[in-house]
Amino acid sequence: MSVYRKTSVSEIAGFLCLKYEGVNITINGVSSYSDIKDGTLCFTNANLIKSNKHALLICNNSAVVESSTLSIIRLNHPRYAFAQITSDFLITKPKQFIHDTVIIHPHTDIAENVGIGPFSIIEVGVKIGKNSSIGNHVTLKAGTEIGENTIIKSGSIIGDQGFGFGFSENKEPKRINHSGGVIIGDEVEVGANSVICSGTIQPTILENYVKIDDLVLIAHNCHIGSMTMIISGAVVCGSVSIGSRSWIGPNSSIIDGKSVGSNVKIGIGAVITEDVMDGTKMMGINALPLKKLVKVRNIFLNT
């Protein structure tokens, strides 16, 4: 649980380089717009605002405020400003350290102010950029490179062998050694218990500002573009490329070798079996009773 420091409306406005409306009250914490508490910071995208609370509200430039008690800061992206304030201004971040139980190979390159939690393993050749944070029980396999200000949450495995095999004449599988490693950019976040597999020959790549939720699998040879977000339970199969600023929804799957463009939105549970062009929205089918599903299938097959 985060503990926010005491501040004021004027200090928050100064941090944002903006002016404020109303009284320069003291801010002791945060609250939600649906349940505003006195002396707190909150935000909303609502167009009409009514409240009798003494709080600081971040809202849209065009919002109509019918309140004589609220202090107001107006801007175009209230939610983003709230994230900036709570992450970069209200919290005093302690200096990071590497826990005594971490196993680190002597031939690694770990920059200044990197935090590594208990029982993590950092293998040969790993590079970690400054101010990055590695959680508990994380494994960074040989050949993994992590940029600056990146977060790898607990239980994740980065750079382990991908699921790739060659087959003999009688279909006997033989594992292909994956030596490409993983390259993760700056300001990336990888969620708890996620797995990102090593590339076969060339690296698996996550560009800057990619955000990965908990329990996500990214297979070998994938390339994920900047600012793309991949949500819990998603499976990105081998050699998939995804452009920038795309949204891959919960429990969705992208089949091997497919290309997903930029600014794409893939909905919950969708299965992607073909390439997806830039700006496309792909949604799955809502769950149906079996009898209705059979009818839908029959209609589809007869058209």
Side-chain angles (χ1 to χ4, degrees):
M1 179 178 177
S2 297
V3 178
Y4 298 117
R5 67 180 180 86
K6 184 183 293 187
T7 186
S8 67
V9 170
S10 62
E11 288 178 317
I12 292 173
F15 169 73
L16 296 173
C17 299
L18 294 170
K19 295 180 179 180
Y20 68 92
E21 305 166 18
V23 180
N24 184 26
I25 63 173
T26 298
I27 302 300
N28 295 299
V30 300
S31 63
S32 65
Y33 177 66
S34 61
D35 185 21
I36 300 175
K37 303 264 191 317
D38 286 335
T40 63
L41 166 72
C42 54
F43 77 96
T44 183
N45 288 312
N47 293 318
L48 177 61
I49 296 164
K50 298 180 180 181
S51 176
N52 60 1
K53 298 295 184 179
H54 296 270
L56 171 59
L57 180 69
I58 312 295
C59 66
N60 285 309
N61 281 314
S62 59
V64 176
V65 180
E66 297 182 359
S67 171
S68 61
T69 58
L70 287 174
S71 299
I72 300 293
I73 296 177
R74 298 175 181 272
L75 38 66
N76 289 329
H77 302 286
R79 183 181 177 90
Y80 182 74
F82 184 80
Q84 286 181 299
I85 297 165
T86 54
S87 295
D88 299 334
F89 182 71
L90 292 184
I91 293 179
T92 301
K93 297 180 181 179
K95 184 174 177 61
Q96 300 192 110
F97 67 95
I98 297 173
H99 196 273
D100 292 341
T101 59
V102 176
I103 299 173
I104 302 177
H105 192 280
H107 296 118
T108 56
D109 183 0
I110 299 176
E112 61 184 15
N113 196 36
V114 167
I116 306 178
F119 304 106
S120 291
I121 299 173
I122 314 299
E123 293 191 351
V124 62
V126 168
K127 297 180 180 179
I128 305 175
K130 66 181 180 180
N131 303 320
S132 287
S133 177
I134 312 302
N136 308 335
H137 297 275
V138 170
T139 300
L140 301 182
K141 302 291 288 185
T144 297
E145 298 183 18
I146 294 173
E148 299 180 0
N149 302 301
T150 285
I151 297 171
I152 310 295
K153 291 171 67 176
S154 295
S156 292
I157 301 174
I158 312 295
D160 213 341
Q161 292 286 297
F163 196 73
F165 296 84
F167 295 90
S168 68
E169 194 170 309
N170 64 355
K171 304 301 181 182
E172 176 186 336
K174 181 68 175 180
R175 172 173 288 282
I176 297 172
N177 182 58
H178 289 64
S179 59
V182 174
I183 297 177
I184 295 176
D186 300 336
E187 303 281 354
V188 172
E189 183 167 327
V190 176
N193 297 311
S194 291
V195 176
I196 302 174
C197 298
S198 168
T200 309
I201 299 172
Q202 299 297 320
T204 299
I205 296 175
L206 276 63
E207 295 184 5
N208 297 342
Y209 294 97
V210 168
K211 307 298 181 183
I212 306 296
D213 198 2
D214 302 339
L215 298 168
V216 167
L217 170 63
I218 298 178
H220 56 276
N221 304 334
C222 289
H223 190 130
I224 313 299
S226 63
M227 290 180 272
T228 282
M229 307 186 81
I230 303 179
I231 317 306
S232 184
V235 175
V236 182
C237 295
S239 300
V240 166
S241 66
I242 302 175
S244 61
R245 298 182 179 87
S246 287
W247 174 277
I248 312 302
N251 296 314
S252 58
S253 301
I254 305 173
I255 199 170
D256 298 65
K258 298 306 173 185
S259 175
V260 175
S262 297
N263 300 301
V264 168
K265 185 171 183 179
I266 295 176
I268 184 170
V271 178
I272 304 302
T273 60
E274 301 293 340
D275 291 344
V276 180
M277 301 295 290
D278 291 351
T280 305
K281 293 183 179 180
M282 305 289 286
M283 302 294 158
I285 298 176
N286 291 335
L288 296 172
L290 180 58
K291 289 182 180 179
K292 289 186 177 180
L293 183 61
V294 171
K295 289 181 180 179
V296 170
R297 178 180 178 276
N298 290 338
I299 293 170
F300 176 77
L301 291 175
N302 291 326
T303 57

Coordinates of all heavy atoms in Angstrom, one line a residue, residues 163-243:
F163 N 9.6 -22.7 -27.2 CA 9.1 -24.0 -27.5 C 9.2 -24.2 -29.0 O 8.3 -24.1 -29.8 CB 7.6 -24.1 -27.1 CG 7.1 -25.5 -27.0 CD1 7.4 -26.3 -26.0 CD2 6.2 -25.9 -28.0 CE1 6.9 -27.6 -26.0 CE2 5.6 -27.2 -28.0 CZ 6.0 -28.0 -26.9
G164 N 10.4 -24.6 -29.4 CA 10.7 -24.8 -30.9 C 11.5 -26.1 -31.1 O 12.4 -26.4 -30.4
F165 N 11.0 -26.9 -32.1 CA 11.6 -28.2 -32.3 C 11.8 -28.5 -33.8 O 11.0 -28.0 -34.6 CB 10.7 -29.3 -31.7 CG 10.5 -29.2 -30.2 CD1 9.6 -28.4 -29.6 CD2 11.3 -30.0 -29.4 CE1 9.5 -28.3 -28.3 CE2 11.2 -30.0 -28.0 CZ 10.3 -29.1 -27.5
G166 N 12.8 -29.3 -34.1 CA 12.8 -29.9 -35.5 C 12.3 -31.3 -35.4 O 12.3 -31.9 -34.3
F167 N 11.9 -31.9 -36.5 CA 11.3 -33.2 -36.5 C 12.0 -34.1 -37.5 O 12.3 -33.7 -38.6 CB 9.8 -33.1 -36.8 CG 9.0 -32.4 -35.8 CD1 8.8 -31.0 -35.9 CD2 8.5 -33.0 -34.7 CE1 8.1 -30.3 -34.9 CE2 7.8 -32.4 -33.7 CZ 7.6 -31.0 -33.8
S168 N 12.3 -35.3 -37.0 CA 12.9 -36.3 -37.9 C 11.8 -36.9 -38.9 O 10.6 -36.5 -38.8 CB 13.5 -37.5 -37.1 OG 12.4 -38.2 -36.5
E169 N 12.3 -37.8 -39.7 CA 11.4 -38.4 -40.7 C 10.2 -39.1 -40.0 O 9.1 -39.2 -40.6 CB 12.2 -39.4 -41.6 CG 11.4 -39.8 -42.8 CD 12.3 -40.6 -43.8 OE1 13.4 -40.1 -44.1 OE2 11.9 -41.7 -44.2
N170 N 10.4 -39.7 -38.9 CA 9.4 -40.4 -38.1 C 8.7 -39.5 -37.1 O 8.1 -40.0 -36.1 CB 9.9 -41.7 -37.5 CG 10.9 -41.5 -36.5 OD1 11.3 -40.3 -36.2 ND2 11.3 -42.5 -35.8
K171 N 8.9 -38.2 -37.2 CA 8.2 -37.2 -36.3 C 8.8 -37.1 -34.9 O 8.2 -36.6 -34.0 CB 6.7 -37.4 -36.3 CG 6.0 -37.4 -37.6 CD 6.2 -36.1 -38.4 CE 5.5 -36.1 -39.7 NZ 5.7 -34.9 -40.5
E172 N 10.0 -37.6 -34.8 CA 10.7 -37.5 -33.5 C 11.1 -36.1 -33.3 O 11.8 -35.5 -34.1 CB 11.9 -38.4 -33.4 CG 12.7 -38.3 -32.1 CD 14.0 -39.1 -32.2 OE1 14.0 -40.1 -32.9 OE2 14.9 -38.8 -31.4
P173 N 10.7 -35.4 -32.2 CA 11.0 -34.0 -32.0 C 12.4 -33.8 -31.4 O 12.8 -34.6 -30.5 CB 9.9 -33.5 -31.0 CG 9.6 -34.7 -30.2 CD 9.7 -35.9 -31.1
K174 N 13.1 -32.8 -31.8 CA 14.4 -32.5 -31.3 C 14.4 -31.0 -31.0 O 14.2 -30.1 -31.9 CB 15.5 -32.8 -32.3 CG 16.9 -32.5 -31.8 CD 17.3 -33.4 -30.7 CE 18.8 -33.2 -30.3 NZ 19.2 -34.1 -29.2
R175 N 14.7 -30.6 -29.8 CA 14.6 -29.2 -29.4 C 15.7 -28.4 -30.1 O 16.8 -28.8 -30.2 CB 14.8 -29.1 -27.9 CG 15.0 -27.6 -27.4 CD 15.1 -27.5 -25.9 NE 13.7 -27.7 -25.3 CZ 12.8 -26.8 -25.3 NH1 13.0 -25.6 -25.9 NH2 11.6 -27.0 -24.8
I176 N 15.3 -27.2 -30.6 CA 16.2 -26.3 -31.2 C 16.7 -25.3 -30.1 O 15.9 -24.8 -29.4 CB 15.5 -25.4 -32.3 CG1 15.1 -26.4 -33.5 CG2 16.4 -24.3 -32.8 CD1 14.2 -25.7 -34.5
N177 N 18.0 -25.2 -30.0 CA 18.6 -24.3 -29.0 C 18.3 -22.9 -29.4 O 18.5 -22.4 -30.5 CB 20.1 -24.5 -28.9 CG 20.7 -23.6 -27.8 OD1 20.3 -23.7 -26.7 ND2 21.6 -22.7 -28.2
H178 N 17.7 -22.1 -28.4 CA 17.4 -20.7 -28.6 C 18.4 -19.9 -28.0 O 18.6 -19.8 -26.7 CB 16.0 -20.4 -28.0 CG 14.8 -21.0 -28.7 ND1 14.7 -22.4 -28.9 CD2 13.8 -20.5 -29.4 CE1 13.6 -22.6 -29.6 NE2 13.0 -21.5 -29.9
S179 N 19.2 -19.2 -28.8 CA 20.3 -18.4 -28.3 C 20.2 -16.9 -28.6 O 21.1 -16.1 -28.4 CB 21.6 -18.9 -29.0 OG 21.5 -18.8 -30.4
G180 N 19.0 -16.5 -29.1 CA 18.8 -15.1 -29.5 C 18.7 -14.1 -28.3 O 18.9 -12.9 -28.5
G181 N 18.2 -14.6 -27.2 CA 18.0 -13.7 -26.0 C 16.8 -12.9 -26.1 O 16.0 -13.0 -27.0
V182 N 16.7 -11.9 -25.2 CA 15.6 -11.0 -25.1 C 16.1 -9.6 -24.9 O 17.0 -9.4 -24.0 CB 14.6 -11.4 -23.9 CG1 13.5 -10.3 -23.8 CG2 14.0 -12.7 -24.2
I183 N 15.6 -8.6 -25.6 CA 15.9 -7.2 -25.4 C 14.7 -6.5 -25.0 O 13.7 -6.5 -25.8 CB 16.6 -6.6 -26.7 CG1 17.9 -7.3 -27.0 CG2 16.8 -5.1 -26.5 CD1 18.5 -6.8 -28.3
I184 N 14.7 -5.9 -23.8 CA 13.6 -5.1 -23.3 C 14.0 -3.6 -23.2 O 15.1 -3.3 -22.6 CB 13.2 -5.7 -22.0 CG1 12.6 -7.1 -22.1 CG2 12.1 -4.8 -21.3 CD1 12.2 -7.8 -20.8
G185 N 13.2 -2.7 -23.7 CA 13.6 -1.3 -23.7 C 13.4 -0.6 -22.4 O 13.3 -1.2 -21.3
D186 N 13.4 0.8 -22.5 CA 13.2 1.6 -21.4 C 11.7 1.8 -21.0 O 10.9 1.8 -21.9 CB 13.8 3.0 -21.7 CG 15.3 3.0 -22.0 OD1 16.0 2.0 -21.6 OD2 15.7 3.9 -22.7
E187 N 11.5 2.0 -19.7 CA 10.1 2.3 -19.2 C 9.1 1.2 -19.5 O 8.0 1.5 -19.7 CB 9.6 3.7 -19.8 CG 10.5 4.9 -19.5 CD 10.4 5.4 -18.1 OE1 9.5 5.0 -17.4 OE2 11.2 6.3 -17.8
V188 N 9.6 0.0 -19.6 CA 8.8 -1.2 -19.8 C 8.3 -1.7 -18.5 O 9.0 -1.6 -17.5 CB 9.5 -2.2 -20.6 CG1 8.7 -3.5 -20.8 CG2 9.9 -1.7 -22.0
E189 N 7.2 -2.4 -18.5 CA 6.7 -3.1 -17.3 C 6.3 -4.5 -17.7 O 5.5 -4.7 -18.6 CB 5.6 -2.4 -16.6 CG 5.1 -3.0 -15.3 CD 4.2 -2.2 -14.5 OE1 4.4 -0.9 -14.5 OE2 3.3 -2.7 -13.8
V190 N 6.8 -5.5 -17.0 CA 6.4 -6.9 -17.2 C 5.8 -7.4 -15.9 O 6.4 -7.3 -14.8 CB 7.7 -7.7 -17.5 CG1 7.3 -9.2 -17.7 CG2 8.3 -7.3 -18.8
G191 N 4.5 -7.9 -16.0 CA 3.7 -8.3 -14.9 C 4.2 -9.5 -14.2 O 5.0 -10.3 -14.7
A192 N 3.7 -9.8 -13.0 CA 4.0 -10.9 -12.2 C 3.7 -12.2 -12.9 O 2.7 -12.4 -13.6 CB 3.3 -10.9 -10.9
N193 N 4.7 -13.2 -12.8 CA 4.6 -14.5 -13.3 C 4.3 -14.6 -14.8 O 3.7 -15.5 -15.4 CB 3.4 -15.3 -12.6 CG 3.7 -15.5 -11.1 OD1 4.7 -15.9 -10.7 ND2 2.7 -15.1 -10.3
S194 N 4.9 -13.6 -15.5 CA 4.9 -13.6 -17.0 C 6.1 -14.3 -17.5 O 7.1 -14.3 -16.8 CB 4.7 -12.2 -17.5 OG 3.5 -11.6 -17.2
V195 N 6.0 -14.8 -18.7 CA 7.2 -15.4 -19.4 C 7.4 -14.8 -20.7 O 6.5 -14.7 -21.5 CB 6.9 -16.9 -19.5 CG1 8.0 -17.6 -20.3 CG2 6.7 -17.6 -18.2
I196 N 8.7 -14.4 -21.0 CA 9.1 -13.9 -22.3 C 10.3 -14.8 -22.7 O 11.3 -14.9 -22.1 CB 9.5 -12.4 -22.2 CG1 8.4 -11.6 -21.6 CG2 10.0 -11.9 -23.6 CD1 8.8 -10.2 -21.4
C197 N 10.1 -15.5 -23.8 CA 11.0 -16.5 -24.3 C 12.1 -15.9 -25.2 O 11.9 -15.0 -25.9 CB 10.3 -17.6 -25.1 SG 9.1 -18.5 -24.1
S198 N 13.3 -16.5 -25.1 CA 14.4 -16.2 -25.9 C 14.1 -16.4 -27.4 O 13.4 -17.3 -27.8 CB 15.6 -17.0 -25.5 OG 16.7 -16.9 -26.5
G199 N 14.6 -15.5 -28.2 CA 14.6 -15.7 -29.7 C 15.4 -16.9 -30.1 O 16.4 -17.3 -29.4
T200 N 15.1 -17.5 -31.2 CA 15.8 -18.7 -31.7 C 17.2 -18.3 -32.1 O 18.2 -18.8 -31.5 CB 15.1 -19.3 -32.9 OG1 13.7 -19.5 -32.5 CG2 15.7 -20.6 -33.2
I201 N 17.3 -17.3 -33.0 CA 18.7 -16.8 -33.4 C 18.7 -15.3 -33.2 O 19.7 -14.8 -32.6 CB 18.9 -17.1 -34.9 CG1 18.9 -18.7 -35.1 CG2 20.2 -16.5 -35.4 CD1 18.9 -19.1 -36.5
Q202 N 17.7 -14.6 -33.6 CA 17.6 -13.1 -33.3 C 16.8 -13.0 -32.0 O 16.0 -13.8 -31.7 CB 16.9 -12.4 -34.5 CG 17.6 -12.5 -35.8 CD 19.0 -11.9 -35.8 OE1 19.2 -10.8 -35.2 NE2 20.0 -12.5 -36.4
P203 N 17.0 -11.8 -31.4 CA 16.3 -11.7 -30.1 C 14.8 -11.4 -30.1 O 14.3 -10.9 -31.1 CB 17.0 -10.4 -29.5 CG 17.5 -9.7 -30.6 CD 17.9 -10.7 -31.7
T204 N 14.1 -11.8 -29.1 CA 12.7 -11.3 -28.9 C 12.9 -9.9 -28.4 O 13.7 -9.6 -27.5 CB 12.0 -12.2 -27.8 OG1 12.0 -13.6 -28.3 CG2 10.7 -11.7 -27.4
I205 N 12.0 -9.0 -28.9 CA 12.2 -7.6 -28.6 C 10.9 -7.0 -28.0 O 9.8 -7.1 -28.6 CB 12.6 -6.8 -29.8 CG1 14.0 -7.3 -30.3 CG2 12.7 -5.3 -29.6 CD1 14.5 -6.7 -31.6
L206 N 11.0 -6.2 -26.9 CA 10.0 -5.3 -26.4 C 10.5 -3.9 -26.5 O 11.5 -3.6 -25.8 CB 9.6 -5.7 -25.0 CG 8.6 -6.8 -24.8 CD1 9.1 -8.2 -25.3 CD2 8.2 -6.9 -23.3
E207 N 9.9 -3.1 -27.3 CA 10.3 -1.7 -27.4 C 10.0 -0.8 -26.2 O 9.3 -1.3 -25.3 CB 9.8 -1.1 -28.7 CG 10.3 -1.8 -29.9 CD 9.8 -1.1 -31.2 OE1 9.2 0.0 -31.1 OE2 10.1 -1.6 -32.3
N208 N 10.4 0.4 -26.2 CA 10.2 1.3 -25.0 C 8.7 1.5 -24.7 O 7.9 1.5 -25.6 CB 10.8 2.7 -25.3 CG 12.3 2.7 -25.5 OD1 12.9 1.7 -25.1 ND2 12.8 3.7 -26.1
Y209 N 8.4 1.6 -23.5 CA 7.1 1.9 -22.9 C 6.0 0.7 -23.2 O 4.8 1.0 -23.0 CB 6.5 3.2 -23.5 CG 7.3 4.4 -23.1 CD1 8.3 4.9 -23.9 CD2 7.1 5.0 -21.8 CE1 9.0 6.0 -23.5 CE2 7.8 6.1 -21.4 CZ 8.8 6.6 -22.3 OH 9.5 7.7 -21.9
V210 N 6.5 -0.5 -23.5 CA 5.6 -1.6 -23.6 C 5.1 -1.9 -22.2 O 5.9 -1.9 -21.2 CB 6.2 -2.8 -24.2 CG1 5.4 -4.1 -24.0 CG2 6.4 -2.5 -25.7
K211 N 3.8 -2.3 -22.0 CA 3.3 -2.6 -20.7 C 2.7 -4.0 -20.8 O 1.7 -4.2 -21.5 CB 2.3 -1.6 -20.2 CG 2.8 -0.2 -20.2 CD 4.0 0.1 -19.3 CE 4.4 1.5 -19.3 NZ 5.6 1.8 -18.5
I212 N 3.2 -4.9 -20.0 CA 2.7 -6.3 -20.0 C 2.1 -6.6 -18.6 O 2.7 -6.4 -17.6 CB 3.9 -7.3 -20.2 CG1 4.7 -7.0 -21.5 CG2 3.4 -8.7 -20.2 CD1 3.9 -7.1 -22.7
D213 N 0.9 -7.1 -18.6 CA 0.1 -7.4 -17.4 C 0.7 -8.7 -16.8 O 1.6 -9.4 -17.3 CB -1.3 -7.5 -17.7 CG -2.2 -7.4 -16.5 OD1 -1.7 -7.2 -15.4 OD2 -3.5 -7.5 -16.7
D214 N 0.1 -9.1 -15.7 CA 0.5 -10.4 -15.0 C 0.0 -11.6 -15.9 O -1.0 -11.5 -16.7 CB -0.2 -10.5 -13.7 CG 0.1 -9.4 -12.7 OD1 1.2 -8.8 -12.9 OD2 -0.6 -9.2 -11.8
L215 N 0.8 -12.7 -15.8 CA 0.4 -14.0 -16.4 C 0.2 -13.9 -17.9 O -0.8 -14.4 -18.5 CB -0.9 -14.5 -15.8 CG -0.9 -14.8 -14.3 CD1 -2.2 -15.0 -13.7 CD2 0.0 -16.0 -14.0
V216 N 1.2 -13.3 -18.6 CA 1.2 -13.2 -20.0 C 2.4 -14.1 -20.6 O 3.4 -14.1 -19.9 CB 1.4 -11.7 -20.5 CG1 1.7 -11.6 -21.9 CG2 0.1 -10.9 -20.1
L217 N 2.1 -14.7 -21.7 CA 3.2 -15.5 -22.4 C 3.5 -14.8 -23.7 O 2.7 -14.6 -24.5 CB 2.8 -16.9 -22.7 CG 3.7 -17.7 -23.6 CD1 5.1 -17.9 -23.0 CD2 3.1 -19.0 -24.0
I218 N 4.8 -14.4 -23.9 CA 5.3 -13.9 -25.1 C 6.4 -14.9 -25.6 O 7.4 -15.1 -25.0 CB 5.9 -12.5 -25.0 CG1 4.8 -11.5 -24.6 CG2 6.5 -12.1 -26.3 CD1 5.3 -10.1 -24.3
A219 N 6.1 -15.6 -26.7 CA 6.9 -16.7 -27.2 C 8.2 -16.1 -28.0 O 8.4 -14.9 -28.1 CB 6.1 -17.6 -28.1
H220 N 9.0 -17.1 -28.5 CA 10.2 -16.7 -29.1 C 10.0 -15.9 -30.4 O 9.1 -16.1 -31.1 CB 11.0 -18.0 -29.4 CG 10.3 -19.0 -30.2 ND1 9.4 -19.9 -29.7 CD2 10.3 -19.2 -31.6 CE1 8.9 -20.6 -30.7 NE2 9.4 -20.2 -31.8
N221 N 11.0 -15.0 -30.6 CA 11.1 -14.3 -31.9 C 10.0 -13.2 -32.1 O 9.9 -12.6 -33.1 CB 11.1 -15.2 -33.1 CG 12.1 -16.2 -33.1 OD1 13.2 -16.0 -32.5 ND2 11.9 -17.3 -33.8
C222 N 9.3 -12.9 -31.0 CA 8.3 -11.8 -31.1 C 8.9 -10.4 -31.1 O 10.0 -10.3 -30.5 CB 7.2 -11.9 -30.0 SG 6.2 -13.4 -30.1
H223 N 8.2 -9.5 -31.7 CA 8.6 -8.1 -31.7 C 7.4 -7.3 -31.3 O 6.4 -7.2 -32.1 CB 9.2 -7.7 -33.0 CG 9.8 -6.3 -33.0 ND1 11.1 -6.1 -33.5 CD2 9.4 -5.1 -32.5 CE1 11.4 -4.9 -33.4 NE2 10.4 -4.2 -32.8
I224 N 7.5 -6.6 -30.1 CA 6.3 -5.8 -29.6 C 6.7 -4.4 -29.7 O 7.7 -3.9 -29.1 CB 6.0 -6.2 -28.1 CG1 6.0 -7.7 -28.0 CG2 4.7 -5.5 -27.7 CD1 4.9 -8.4 -28.8
G225 N 5.9 -3.6 -30.4 CA 6.2 -2.2 -30.7 C 5.9 -1.3 -29.4 O 5.2 -1.7 -28.5
S226 N 6.5 -0.1 -29.5 CA 6.4 0.8 -28.3 C 5.0 1.2 -27.9 O 4.1 1.3 -28.8 CB 7.2 2.1 -28.7 OG 6.6 2.8 -29.7
M227 N 4.8 1.3 -26.6 CA 3.5 1.7 -26.0 C 2.4 0.7 -26.2 O 1.2 1.0 -25.9 CB 3.1 3.1 -26.5 CG 4.0 4.2 -25.9 SD 3.6 5.8 -26.4 CE 4.6 5.9 -27.9
T228 N 2.7 -0.5 -26.7 CA 1.6 -1.5 -26.8 C 1.4 -2.1 -25.4 O 2.3 -2.2 -24.6 CB 2.0 -2.6 -27.8 OG1 1.8 -2.1 -29.1 CG2 1.3 -3.9 -27.6
M229 N 0.1 -2.5 -25.1 CA -0.2 -3.0 -23.8 C -0.8 -4.4 -24.0 O -1.7 -4.6 -24.9 CB -1.2 -2.1 -23.1 CG -0.8 -0.7 -23.0 SD -1.8 0.4 -22.0 CE -1.3 -0.1 -20.3
I230 N -0.3 -5.4 -23.2 CA -0.8 -6.8 -23.4 C -1.3 -7.2 -22.0 O -0.6 -7.2 -21.0 CB 0.3 -7.7 -23.8 CG1 0.9 -7.2 -25.2 CG2 -0.2 -9.1 -24.0 CD1 2.0 -8.0 -25.7
I231 N -2.6 -7.6 -22.0 CA -3.3 -7.8 -20.7 C -3.3 -9.2 -20.3 O -3.1 -10.2 -21.1 CB -4.7 -7.2 -20.8 CG1 -4.7 -5.9 -21.6 CG2 -5.4 -7.1 -19.5 CD1 -3.8 -4.8 -21.0
S232 N -3.6 -9.4 -19.0 CA -3.5 -10.7 -18.3 C -4.1 -11.9 -19.1 O -5.2 -11.8 -19.6 CB -4.1 -10.6 -16.9 OG -3.9 -11.8 -16.2
G233 N -3.3 -13.0 -19.1 CA -3.8 -14.2 -19.8 C -3.6 -14.3 -21.2 O -3.9 -15.3 -21.9
A234 N -3.1 -13.2 -21.9 CA -2.9 -13.2 -23.3 C -1.7 -14.1 -23.7 O -0.7 -14.3 -22.9 CB -2.6 -11.8 -23.8
V235 N -1.8 -14.8 -24.8 CA -0.7 -15.6 -25.4 C -0.3 -15.1 -26.7 O -1.1 -15.1 -27.7 CB -1.2 -17.1 -25.5 CG1 -0.1 -18.0 -26.1 CG2 -1.6 -17.7 -24.1
V236 N 0.9 -14.7 -26.8 CA 1.5 -14.2 -28.1 C 2.4 -15.3 -28.6 O 3.5 -15.5 -28.0 CB 2.2 -12.8 -27.9 CG1 2.7 -12.3 -29.3 CG2 1.2 -11.8 -27.3
C237 N 2.0 -16.0 -29.6 CA 2.8 -17.2 -30.1 C 4.1 -16.7 -30.8 O 4.3 -15.5 -31.1 CB 1.9 -18.1 -30.9 SG 0.6 -18.8 -30.0
G238 N 4.9 -17.7 -31.2 CA 6.2 -17.5 -31.8 C 6.1 -16.6 -33.1 O 5.2 -16.7 -33.9
S239 N 7.2 -15.7 -33.2 CA 7.4 -14.9 -34.4 C 6.2 -14.0 -34.7 O 6.0 -13.6 -35.9 CB 7.7 -15.8 -35.6 OG 8.8 -16.6 -35.3
V240 N 5.5 -13.6 -33.7 CA 4.4 -12.6 -33.9 C 5.0 -11.2 -33.8 O 5.9 -10.9 -32.9 CB 3.3 -12.8 -32.9 CG1 2.4 -11.5 -32.8 CG2 2.5 -14.0 -33.2
S241 N 4.6 -10.3 -34.7 CA 5.0 -8.9 -34.6 C 3.8 -8.1 -34.3 O 2.7 -8.3 -34.9 CB 5.7 -8.4 -35.8 OG 4.8 -8.4 -36.9
I242 N 3.9 -7.1 -33.3 CA 2.8 -6.2 -33.0 C 3.3 -4.8 -33.1 O 4.4 -4.5 -32.6 CB 2.3 -6.5 -31.6 CG1 1.8 -8.0 -31.4 CG2 1.2 -5.5 -31.2 CD1 1.4 -8.4 -30.0
G243 N 2.6 -3.9 -33.7 CA 3.0 -2.5 -33.9 C 2.9 -1.7 -32.6 O 2.7 -2.3 -31.5

